Amino acid sequence: MTAAEAAPSAESATPAPRPASVGPVPGATPPRTPLVARAAAELIGTAALVAVVVGSGIQATELTKDVGLQLLANSTATVFGLGILILLLGPVSGAHFNPVVTLAEWWTARRGGAGVTLREAAVYLPAQIVGAIAGAILADAMFGEPLVKWSTHDRSAGHLLLGEIVATAGLILLIFGLARANRLQFAPVAVASYIGAAYWFTSSTSFANPAVTIGRAFTDTFAGIAPGSVLGFIGMQLVGAVVGLALVALIFMPGRSAE
């Protein structure tokens, strides 16, 4: 998706160009930088995101035994880390860091909108997954944990799966709703803020990301998820993405010109 445009004025139906200083963000396809650079941005960005999530979780459990404070520390670090990563890497790859965002953008492009091609999506997805695994291993290494130790944190309960549908649907609605409303310049703050809020208002603490879910299975720490729970979470995230796109189509339905 090209750089977002400002909202149209009352005098003109043609939107004014967005300032060049504001780069593309999730849900927006950036200028055609080389695919290898975009894949690297997705791999490194996803790795950094998981390192923030897992590392802050380990640090929190070492500093306090209060689970509420642990979650507060973990969510706060994630909000700041995610916002910075979107701001930094958005102009390169769109800063998806998330297979459901990439697939949703591919779907909108397939139906006539702007977005990544199937070839680009096929490169982004494995880059995101590899990055997520690498990020979890890096976080474990920084804190002297076993580099790979499968999580024993079971998250298979039905209410947690419902939480993942809600978290992912809301994320997709936010990203693509901002795109429809020509407000993508606010995505670094908006997306990070949403994830931080969803940590607290969803029962699953808002994974909302298949790559991150896979990566977090590799660490038996605060942020981990048992391998047996991974497929359930990913399935519900895909359902949430479909729900989110349906909500975007319903809420941001194109208006009709007056007769």
Side-chain angles (χ1 to χ4, degrees):
M1 198 176 299
T2 55
E5 298 172 327
S9 65
E11 294 77 22
S12 172
T14 303
R18 195 180 70 181
S21 59
V22 180
V25 286
T29 300
R32 296 291 87 182
T33 52
L35 184 56
V36 65
R38 285 179 275 148
E42 287 296 302
L43 189 153
I44 293 169
T46 311
L49 174 59
V50 174
V52 168
V53 172
V54 174
S56 63
I58 297 171
Q59 183 79 283
T61 57
E62 292 183 353
L63 293 175
T64 179
K65 300 301 180 183
D66 186 313
V67 177
L69 289 178
Q70 291 171 356
L71 187 61
L72 178 61
N74 190 215
S75 60
T76 301
T78 301
V79 167
F80 287 120
L82 179 58
I84 290 168
L85 288 169
I86 294 173
L87 192 63
L88 174 65
L89 297 176
V92 180
S93 68
H96 296 187
F97 314 145
N98 189 335
V100 295
V101 174
T102 299
L103 290 172
E105 190 178 295
W106 166 75
W107 178 256
T108 60
R110 179 177 174 272
R111 297 179 62 83
V116 296
T117 65
L118 182 59
R119 174 173 173 266
E120 290 166 337
V123 173
Y124 273 36
L125 267 59
Q128 292 159 354
I129 293 170
V130 170
I133 296 170
I137 294 173
L138 175 61
D140 282 340
M142 288 192 292
F143 286 92
E145 300 286 338
L147 296 186
V148 175
K149 185 177 181 181
W150 300 117
S151 175
T152 56
H153 194 163
D154 180 74
R155 300 178 189 261
S156 59
H159 66 282
L160 301 180
L161 299 178
L162 176 60
E164 277 303 285
I165 295 176
V166 172
T168 311
L171 178 64
I172 295 299
L173 173 60
L174 172 63
I175 292 171
F176 289 88
L178 286 174
R180 291 283 185 96
N182 293 319
R183 293 291 186 270
L184 275 173
Q185 66 268 33
F186 300 114
V189 172
V191 173
S193 298
Y194 172 80
I195 292 298
Y199 253 88
W200 291 90
F201 79 77
T202 65
S203 57
S204 64
T205 66
S206 185
F207 284 45
N209 185 326
V212 169
T213 303
I214 293 170
R216 288 168 67 167
F218 282 73
T219 177
D220 192 20
T221 58
F222 179 80
I225 177 173
S229 301
V230 167
L231 285 181
F233 260 48
I234 291 176
M236 295 306 100
Q237 290 158 0
L238 294 174
V239 171
V242 172
V243 172
L245 286 176
L247 290 173
V248 171
L250 175 64
I251 296 171
F252 295 93
M253 191 180 301
R256 296 180 180 179
S257 57
E259 293 292 331

